[in-house]
Amino acid sequence: MSTVPFERVLASVPVPPAQFPFSRADLRLLDTVAGCGDLAEVARRLGLRQGSVERRLDRLDKDVDLALTRRGCHTAQLTAAGSRLLVAGRRFFRQVDLAVRTEIFGGGPEALDPPDVLSIASAEPLLEDVVEDASATLGVLLSISRDSPHGALRQLADFSVDAVHTWGLDAPDASVERAVRVYDVLDDALWVTLPSGHPLADRESLALADLVDENWVSEAGPGSEVLVERVFHAAGLPKPARIQVAGASVVRGMLHRGDVVGLGSPTGPVLHTPNLVHRSVVERPSRTCTLIVDPAVVPQALAGQLATLLTARYLERFAEHRQDMLRDPWWAQWYGEQLDRQDAGAAPAAQVPAEPSASTDSGAAEPGAEPGRLDVEDLHLLRAVAQHGSINRAAAVLSISQSALTRRIHRLEFRLGARLLLRSSRGTSLTSSTRKFLRQLDAYEREFHGAGIAARRSTGRPAPQRRWTKAG
């Protein structure tokens, strides 16, 4: 069944429209293309003909005025704009579902169900090590993009991903201007890596003061702060005069060549080369590894389990490759503290009660509608009633009869299992909880609009000018 695009369906109601007209069916189509590039297989999974799939993709491109897919004779692949709007669309409808639960049913402000695919940006190579474990034990697939700590947080701020695995020296969410939840993964102690022929290489541990004049290489953190510079500053020392700042992979390559000195983690990937030695640092510098998630998309229990899985993999790597360090009392104590934190964080999360559901013997849902979930046409109906104050006036604006609109609202209430309207002799009005929900919806639509503007900018296309009018 074809759906009316959100932008068109709201055209007669002076409210903030969604810039890109996605329905849930549109998102399922893009999601299936993202997971399977063969058009025949996409059609099979969606129960459609291949020609119908291609026509729907063409319609979506035309509706948003962006190329969301790149297609061959029998294949389709999401473009960068398509990937960005898929993530934004997932978030939009998850926020709608969460607001229904929070505002209409009075539940907690947490995502209820885990996403099938968790889109996550990572500044740490370790995340690749837990892909299979996450699939087997948590039932979630990880779609991973590698980036710098700053770039990873930027992706989260731009709604390009659902979560970030990164490290930092300050509050990890300080540069993200949106609601996020932070899970500590590891208090990651650092060591110094230097050439095996270095004059200080024979010492068991080194003081930072002895290394001020070295040629350093350093990563930059989430706030673009230079790791080595911050560590020296925390120790009350001037920053080294010679610091080259580069990405993680370049830093590893420069260290491997043996012509620079750098800070690293014994829980990180091992540099197998006789040209290098690793030494403890007297000042015991550290950084914090975290998992930062969008709580509207990633349920608390899933995020906590994924953070615990990451912690376990860090510590397994340390125990596997750094047994010699456990003879040092300080490192043995550090390792024990991290294990204790992991055990404390592995406690089962409280179960979140589900929202009420309608019984199955008192009505029928709209064709193609998902039980307990609102789609764009449902949102349009509620917005029309909110704007015009009565079923009669809203029906006139929607060009349907009053009785037809009444039946549709009744079926919508039945599908949700909640009352949305108050009916009396003086007319029809929204319940206070429904009004709260629609106020939340305004913000979600603007956020979706912002994601579309960002996608246009990345393709060099100007965003269409639009006047915003606040709903009554």
PDB file of all heavy atoms in Angstrom, residues 171-201:
ATOM      1  N   ALA A 171      35.038  15.219  30.391  1.00  0.00           N
ATOM      2  CA  ALA A 171      33.712  14.616  30.275  1.00  0.00           C
ATOM      3  C   ALA A 171      33.472  14.260  28.813  1.00  0.00           C
ATOM      4  O   ALA A 171      33.503  15.131  27.948  1.00  0.00           O
ATOM      5  CB  ALA A 171      32.646  15.588  30.765  1.00  0.00           C
ATOM      6  N   PRO A 172      33.256  12.981  28.496  1.00  0.00           N
ATOM      7  CA  PRO A 172      33.235  12.557  27.093  1.00  0.00           C
ATOM      8  C   PRO A 172      32.102  13.122  26.269  1.00  0.00           C
ATOM      9  O   PRO A 172      32.190  13.178  25.050  1.00  0.00           O
ATOM     10  CB  PRO A 172      33.131  11.024  27.195  1.00  0.00           C
ATOM     11  CG  PRO A 172      32.545  10.775  28.543  1.00  0.00           C
ATOM     12  CD  PRO A 172      33.051  11.878  29.426  1.00  0.00           C
ATOM     13  N   ASP A 173      31.013  13.563  26.922  1.00  0.00           N
ATOM     14  CA  ASP A 173      29.883  14.078  26.157  1.00  0.00           C
ATOM     15  C   ASP A 173      29.855  15.592  26.123  1.00  0.00           C
ATOM     16  O   ASP A 173      28.867  16.189  25.676  1.00  0.00           O
ATOM     17  CB  ASP A 173      28.574  13.558  26.750  1.00  0.00           C
ATOM     18  CG  ASP A 173      28.397  13.969  28.210  1.00  0.00           C
ATOM     19  OD1 ASP A 173      29.421  14.231  28.871  1.00  0.00           O
ATOM     20  OD2 ASP A 173      27.253  14.034  28.681  1.00  0.00           O
ATOM     21  N   ALA A 174      30.940  16.252  26.563  1.00  0.00           N
ATOM     22  CA  ALA A 174      30.931  17.707  26.680  1.00  0.00           C
ATOM     23  C   ALA A 174      30.733  18.395  25.338  1.00  0.00           C
ATOM     24  O   ALA A 174      30.159  19.474  25.270  1.00  0.00           O
ATOM     25  CB  ALA A 174      32.233  18.182  27.330  1.00  0.00           C
ATOM     26  N   SER A 175      31.211  17.778  24.258  1.00  0.00           N
ATOM     27  CA  SER A 175      31.121  18.422  22.951  1.00  0.00           C
ATOM     28  C   SER A 175      29.931  17.940  22.136  1.00  0.00           C
ATOM     29  O   SER A 175      29.822  18.251  20.959  1.00  0.00           O
ATOM     30  CB  SER A 175      32.417  18.172  22.164  1.00  0.00           C
ATOM     31  OG  SER A 175      32.639  16.787  21.996  1.00  0.00           O
ATOM     32  N   VAL A 176      29.022  17.194  22.742  1.00  0.00           N
ATOM     33  CA  VAL A 176      27.840  16.695  22.034  1.00  0.00           C
ATOM     34  C   VAL A 176      26.624  17.464  22.533  1.00  0.00           C
ATOM     35  O   VAL A 176      26.206  17.313  23.667  1.00  0.00           O
ATOM     36  CB  VAL A 176      27.640  15.181  22.264  1.00  0.00           C
ATOM     37  CG1 VAL A 176      26.445  14.686  21.480  1.00  0.00           C
ATOM     38  CG2 VAL A 176      28.880  14.425  21.886  1.00  0.00           C
ATOM     39  N   GLU A 177      26.065  18.297  21.686  1.00  0.00           N
ATOM     40  CA  GLU A 177      24.931  19.130  22.079  1.00  0.00           C
ATOM     41  C   GLU A 177      23.620  18.394  21.815  1.00  0.00           C
ATOM     42  O   GLU A 177      22.791  18.812  21.004  1.00  0.00           O
ATOM     43  CB  GLU A 177      24.983  20.452  21.323  1.00  0.00           C
ATOM     44  CG  GLU A 177      26.224  21.275  21.648  1.00  0.00           C
ATOM     45  CD  GLU A 177      26.276  22.560  20.853  1.00  0.00           C
ATOM     46  OE1 GLU A 177      25.394  22.760  19.993  1.00  0.00           O
ATOM     47  OE2 GLU A 177      27.210  23.346  21.084  1.00  0.00           O
ATOM     48  N   ARG A 178      23.424  17.298  22.505  1.00  0.00           N
ATOM     49  CA  ARG A 178      22.193  16.527  22.401  1.00  0.00           C
ATOM     50  C   ARG A 178      22.149  15.573  23.582  1.00  0.00           C
ATOM     51  O   ARG A 178      23.133  15.407  24.299  1.00  0.00           O
ATOM     52  CB  ARG A 178      22.139  15.746  21.079  1.00  0.00           C
ATOM     53  CG  ARG A 178      23.310  14.811  20.874  1.00  0.00           C
ATOM     54  CD  ARG A 178      23.208  14.013  19.611  1.00  0.00           C
ATOM     55  NE  ARG A 178      22.182  12.992  19.689  1.00  0.00           N
ATOM     56  CZ  ARG A 178      22.084  11.979  18.841  1.00  0.00           C
ATOM     57  NH1 ARG A 178      22.935  11.879  17.837  1.00  0.00           N
ATOM     58  NH2 ARG A 178      21.140  11.084  18.960  1.00  0.00           N
ATOM     59  N   ALA A 179      21.006  14.964  23.806  1.00  0.00           N
ATOM     60  CA  ALA A 179      20.870  14.041  24.927  1.00  0.00           C
ATOM     61  C   ALA A 179      21.587  12.735  24.620  1.00  0.00           C
ATOM     62  O   ALA A 179      21.295  12.076  23.620  1.00  0.00           O
ATOM     63  CB  ALA A 179      19.391  13.783  25.210  1.00  0.00           C
ATOM     64  N   VAL A 180      22.544  12.367  25.452  1.00  0.00           N
ATOM     65  CA  VAL A 180      23.266  11.108  25.303  1.00  0.00           C
ATOM     66  C   VAL A 180      23.418  10.470  26.680  1.00  0.00           C
ATOM     67  O   VAL A 180      23.215  11.120  27.706  1.00  0.00           O
ATOM     68  CB  VAL A 180      24.666  11.313  24.670  1.00  0.00           C
ATOM     69  CG1 VAL A 180      24.561  11.817  23.244  1.00  0.00           C
ATOM     70  CG2 VAL A 180      25.518  12.251  25.508  1.00  0.00           C
ATOM     71  N   ARG A 181      23.772   9.214  26.684  1.00  0.00           N
ATOM     72  CA  ARG A 181      24.099   8.522  27.933  1.00  0.00           C
ATOM     73  C   ARG A 181      25.483   7.906  27.786  1.00  0.00           C
ATOM     74  O   ARG A 181      25.799   7.315  26.753  1.00  0.00           O
ATOM     75  CB  ARG A 181      23.055   7.442  28.236  1.00  0.00           C
ATOM     76  CG  ARG A 181      23.418   6.589  29.442  1.00  0.00           C
ATOM     77  CD  ARG A 181      22.226   5.841  29.983  1.00  0.00           C
ATOM     78  NE  ARG A 181      21.366   6.736  30.733  1.00  0.00           N
ATOM     79  CZ  ARG A 181      20.064   6.560  30.892  1.00  0.00           C
ATOM     80  NH1 ARG A 181      19.473   5.528  30.332  1.00  0.00           N
ATOM     81  NH2 ARG A 181      19.343   7.413  31.602  1.00  0.00           N
ATOM     82  N   VAL A 182      26.295   8.062  28.830  1.00  0.00           N
ATOM     83  CA  VAL A 182      27.697   7.649  28.797  1.00  0.00           C
ATOM     84  C   VAL A 182      27.891   6.435  29.701  1.00  0.00           C
ATOM     85  O   VAL A 182      27.441   6.421  30.853  1.00  0.00           O
ATOM     86  CB  VAL A 182      28.620   8.800  29.250  1.00  0.00           C
ATOM     87  CG1 VAL A 182      30.079   8.367  29.193  1.00  0.00           C
ATOM     88  CG2 VAL A 182      28.403  10.035  28.382  1.00  0.00           C
ATOM     89  N   TYR A 183      28.582   5.431  29.172  1.00  0.00           N
ATOM     90  CA  TYR A 183      28.919   4.225  29.927  1.00  0.00           C
ATOM     91  C   TYR A 183      30.439   4.106  29.973  1.00  0.00           C
ATOM     92  O   TYR A 183      31.098   4.058  28.929  1.00  0.00           O
ATOM     93  CB  TYR A 183      28.316   2.980  29.257  1.00  0.00           C
ATOM     94  CG  TYR A 183      26.813   2.972  29.243  1.00  0.00           C
ATOM     95  CD1 TYR A 183      26.101   3.691  28.294  1.00  0.00           C
ATOM     96  CD2 TYR A 183      26.095   2.263  30.201  1.00  0.00           C
ATOM     97  CE1 TYR A 183      24.721   3.709  28.283  1.00  0.00           C
ATOM     98  CE2 TYR A 183      24.706   2.261  30.202  1.00  0.00           C
ATOM     99  CZ  TYR A 183      24.024   2.986  29.248  1.00  0.00           C
ATOM    100  OH  TYR A 183      22.656   2.995  29.243  1.00  0.00           O
ATOM    101  N   ASP A 184      30.992   4.062  31.182  1.00  0.00           N
ATOM    102  CA  ASP A 184      32.436   3.872  31.324  1.00  0.00           C
ATOM    103  C   ASP A 184      32.812   2.458  30.898  1.00  0.00           C
ATOM    104  O   ASP A 184      32.161   1.478  31.288  1.00  0.00           O
ATOM    105  CB  ASP A 184      32.868   4.088  32.774  1.00  0.00           C
ATOM    106  CG  ASP A 184      32.803   5.556  33.177  1.00  0.00           C
ATOM    107  OD1 ASP A 184      32.807   6.401  32.271  1.00  0.00           O
ATOM    108  OD2 ASP A 184      32.732   5.835  34.388  1.00  0.00           O
ATOM    109  N   VAL A 185      33.842   2.367  30.091  1.00  0.00           N
ATOM    110  CA  VAL A 185      34.343   1.071  29.649  1.00  0.00           C
ATOM    111  C   VAL A 185      35.621   0.708  30.383  1.00  0.00           C
ATOM    112  O   VAL A 185      35.777  -0.398  30.898  1.00  0.00           O
ATOM    113  CB  VAL A 185      34.578   1.076  28.121  1.00  0.00           C
ATOM    114  CG1 VAL A 185      35.270  -0.209  27.675  1.00  0.00           C
ATOM    115  CG2 VAL A 185      33.258   1.238  27.382  1.00  0.00           C
ATOM    116  N   LEU A 186      36.567   1.654  30.468  1.00  0.00           N
ATOM    117  CA  LEU A 186      37.859   1.335  31.075  1.00  0.00           C
ATOM    118  C   LEU A 186      38.573   2.610  31.480  1.00  0.00           C
ATOM    119  O   LEU A 186      38.578   3.600  30.743  1.00  0.00           O
ATOM    120  CB  LEU A 186      38.737   0.564  30.072  1.00  0.00           C
ATOM    121  CG  LEU A 186      40.013  -0.063  30.618  1.00  0.00           C
ATOM    122  CD1 LEU A 186      39.681  -1.295  31.452  1.00  0.00           C
ATOM    123  CD2 LEU A 186      40.954  -0.441  29.480  1.00  0.00           C
ATOM    124  N   ASP A 187      39.181   2.579  32.673  1.00  0.00           N
ATOM    125  CA  ASP A 187      40.128   3.608  33.079  1.00  0.00           C
ATOM    126  C   ASP A 187      41.487   3.157  32.551  1.00  0.00           C
ATOM    127  O   ASP A 187      42.181   2.372  33.173  1.00  0.00           O
ATOM    128  CB  ASP A 187      40.138   3.737  34.605  1.00  0.00           C
ATOM    129  CG  ASP A 187      41.071   4.828  35.091  1.00  0.00           C
ATOM    130  OD1 ASP A 187      41.483   5.666  34.274  1.00  0.00           O
ATOM    131  OD2 ASP A 187      41.416   4.827  36.286  1.00  0.00           O
ATOM    132  N   ASP A 188      41.829   3.658  31.379  1.00  0.00           N
ATOM    133  CA  ASP A 188      42.923   3.098  30.590  1.00  0.00           C
ATOM    134  C   ASP A 188      44.259   3.756  30.952  1.00  0.00           C
ATOM    135  O   ASP A 188      44.540   4.891  30.540  1.00  0.00           O
ATOM    136  CB  ASP A 188      42.610   3.314  29.104  1.00  0.00           C
ATOM    137  CG  ASP A 188      43.455   2.436  28.200  1.00  0.00           C
ATOM    138  OD1 ASP A 188      44.017   1.457  28.687  1.00  0.00           O
ATOM    139  OD2 ASP A 188      43.524   2.749  26.997  1.00  0.00           O
ATOM    140  N   ALA A 189      45.088   3.061  31.720  1.00  0.00           N
ATOM    141  CA  ALA A 189      46.406   3.567  32.075  1.00  0.00           C
ATOM    142  C   ALA A 189      47.318   3.550  30.839  1.00  0.00           C
ATOM    143  O   ALA A 189      47.200   2.678  29.982  1.00  0.00           O
ATOM    144  CB  ALA A 189      47.014   2.721  33.194  1.00  0.00           C
ATOM    145  N   LEU A 190      48.218   4.516  30.765  1.00  0.00           N
ATOM    146  CA  LEU A 190      49.077   4.681  29.594  1.00  0.00           C
ATOM    147  C   LEU A 190      50.534   4.358  29.927  1.00  0.00           C
ATOM    148  O   LEU A 190      50.963   4.492  31.069  1.00  0.00           O
ATOM    149  CB  LEU A 190      48.983   6.118  29.064  1.00  0.00           C
ATOM    150  CG  LEU A 190      47.591   6.598  28.672  1.00  0.00           C
ATOM    151  CD1 LEU A 190      47.621   8.075  28.301  1.00  0.00           C
ATOM    152  CD2 LEU A 190      47.036   5.777  27.519  1.00  0.00           C
ATOM    153  N   TRP A 191      51.253   3.952  28.920  1.00  0.00           N
ATOM    154  CA  TRP A 191      52.701   3.763  29.039  1.00  0.00           C
ATOM    155  C   TRP A 191      53.393   4.523  27.915  1.00  0.00           C
ATOM    156  O   TRP A 191      52.729   5.076  27.033  1.00  0.00           O
ATOM    157  CB  TRP A 191      53.078   2.278  29.042  1.00  0.00           C
ATOM    158  CG  TRP A 191      52.746   1.521  27.769  1.00  0.00           C
ATOM    159  CD1 TRP A 191      52.300   2.022  26.594  1.00  0.00           C
ATOM    160  CD2 TRP A 191      52.852   0.111  27.585  1.00  0.00           C
ATOM    161  NE1 TRP A 191      52.117   1.021  25.675  1.00  0.00           N
ATOM    162  CE2 TRP A 191      52.458  -0.172  26.249  1.00  0.00           C
ATOM    163  CE3 TRP A 191      53.258  -0.942  28.389  1.00  0.00           C
ATOM    164  CZ2 TRP A 191      52.452  -1.451  25.734  1.00  0.00           C
ATOM    165  CZ3 TRP A 191      53.246  -2.213  27.875  1.00  0.00           C
ATOM    166  CH2 TRP A 191      52.856  -2.477  26.560  1.00  0.00           C
ATOM    167  N   VAL A 192      54.719   4.566  27.964  1.00  0.00           N
ATOM    168  CA  VAL A 192      55.472   5.268  26.936  1.00  0.00           C
ATOM    169  C   VAL A 192      56.150   4.245  26.034  1.00  0.00           C
ATOM    170  O   VAL A 192      56.648   3.213  26.496  1.00  0.00           O
ATOM    171  CB  VAL A 192      56.511   6.237  27.558  1.00  0.00           C
ATOM    172  CG1 VAL A 192      57.582   5.484  28.337  1.00  0.00           C
ATOM    173  CG2 VAL A 192      57.140   7.115  26.488  1.00  0.00           C
ATOM    174  N   THR A 193      56.092   4.491  24.742  1.00  0.00           N
ATOM    175  CA  THR A 193      56.731   3.640  23.748  1.00  0.00           C
ATOM    176  C   THR A 193      57.900   4.406  23.146  1.00  0.00           C
ATOM    177  O   THR A 193      57.736   5.553  22.717  1.00  0.00           O
ATOM    178  CB  THR A 193      55.730   3.268  22.636  1.00  0.00           C
ATOM    179  OG1 THR A 193      54.621   2.568  23.216  1.00  0.00           O
ATOM    180  CG2 THR A 193      56.382   2.396  21.579  1.00  0.00           C
ATOM    181  N   LEU A 194      59.073   3.779  23.121  1.00  0.00           N
ATOM    182  CA  LEU A 194      60.245   4.460  22.591  1.00  0.00           C
ATOM    183  C   LEU A 194      61.152   3.458  21.888  1.00  0.00           C
ATOM    184  O   LEU A 194      61.044   2.239  22.089  1.00  0.00           O
ATOM    185  CB  LEU A 194      60.998   5.194  23.694  1.00  0.00           C
ATOM    186  CG  LEU A 194      61.661   4.427  24.840  1.00  0.00           C
ATOM    187  CD1 LEU A 194      62.641   5.341  25.569  1.00  0.00           C
ATOM    188  CD2 LEU A 194      60.634   3.925  25.844  1.00  0.00           C
ATOM    189  N   PRO A 195      62.083   3.944  21.047  1.00  0.00           N
ATOM    190  CA  PRO A 195      62.978   3.028  20.317  1.00  0.00           C
ATOM    191  C   PRO A 195      63.833   2.204  21.278  1.00  0.00           C
ATOM    192  O   PRO A 195      64.234   2.680  22.342  1.00  0.00           O
ATOM    193  CB  PRO A 195      63.840   3.975  19.476  1.00  0.00           C
ATOM    194  CG  PRO A 195      63.041   5.230  19.367  1.00  0.00           C
ATOM    195  CD  PRO A 195      62.277   5.343  20.638  1.00  0.00           C
ATOM    196  N   SER A 196      64.079   0.949  20.902  1.00  0.00           N
ATOM    197  CA  SER A 196      64.860   0.057  21.771  1.00  0.00           C
ATOM    198  C   SER A 196      66.279   0.557  21.995  1.00  0.00           C
ATOM    199  O   SER A 196      66.905   0.224  23.001  1.00  0.00           O
ATOM    200  CB  SER A 196      64.885  -1.356  21.190  1.00  0.00           C
ATOM    201  OG  SER A 196      65.411  -1.336  19.866  1.00  0.00           O
ATOM    202  N   GLY A 197      66.810   1.374  21.059  1.00  0.00           N
ATOM    203  CA  GLY A 197      68.152   1.906  21.235  1.00  0.00           C
ATOM    204  C   GLY A 197      68.202   3.212  21.987  1.00  0.00           C
ATOM    205  O   GLY A 197      69.269   3.841  22.101  1.00  0.00           O
ATOM    206  N   HIS A 198      67.091   3.654  22.543  1.00  0.00           N
ATOM    207  CA  HIS A 198      67.038   4.917  23.263  1.00  0.00           C
ATOM    208  C   HIS A 198      67.869   4.831  24.543  1.00  0.00           C
ATOM    209  O   HIS A 198      67.894   3.779  25.211  1.00  0.00           O
ATOM    210  CB  HIS A 198      65.587   5.253  23.608  1.00  0.00           C
ATOM    211  CG  HIS A 198      65.359   6.658  24.048  1.00  0.00           C
ATOM    212  ND1 HIS A 198      65.628   7.092  25.320  1.00  0.00           N
ATOM    213  CD2 HIS A 198      64.894   7.742  23.373  1.00  0.00           C
ATOM    214  CE1 HIS A 198      65.340   8.378  25.424  1.00  0.00           C
ATOM    215  NE2 HIS A 198      64.887   8.801  24.253  1.00  0.00           N
ATOM    216  N   PRO A 199      68.544   5.910  24.950  1.00  0.00           N
ATOM    217  CA  PRO A 199      69.372   5.878  26.168  1.00  0.00           C
ATOM    218  C   PRO A 199      68.604   5.509  27.437  1.00  0.00           C
ATOM    219  O   PRO A 199      69.197   4.996  28.389  1.00  0.00           O
ATOM    220  CB  PRO A 199      69.922   7.308  26.256  1.00  0.00           C
ATOM    221  CG  PRO A 199      69.876   7.830  24.868  1.00  0.00           C
ATOM    222  CD  PRO A 199      68.708   7.185  24.225  1.00  0.00           C
ATOM    223  N   LEU A 200      67.286   5.743  27.460  1.00  0.00           N
ATOM    224  CA  LEU A 200      66.501   5.438  28.652  1.00  0.00           C
ATOM    225  C   LEU A 200      65.774   4.098  28.550  1.00  0.00           C
ATOM    226  O   LEU A 200      64.997   3.751  29.441  1.00  0.00           O
ATOM    227  CB  LEU A 200      65.467   6.550  28.884  1.00  0.00           C
ATOM    228  CG  LEU A 200      66.021   7.976  29.067  1.00  0.00           C
ATOM    229  CD1 LEU A 200      64.875   8.963  29.217  1.00  0.00           C
ATOM    230  CD2 LEU A 200      66.946   8.041  30.277  1.00  0.00           C
ATOM    231  N   ALA A 201      66.040   3.358  27.484  1.00  0.00           N
ATOM    232  CA  ALA A 201      65.268   2.127  27.238  1.00  0.00           C
ATOM    233  C   ALA A 201      65.524   1.044  28.272  1.00  0.00           C
ATOM    234  O   ALA A 201      64.709   0.135  28.425  1.00  0.00           O
ATOM    235  CB  ALA A 201      65.580   1.594  25.842  1.00  0.00           C
TER     236      ALA A 201
END
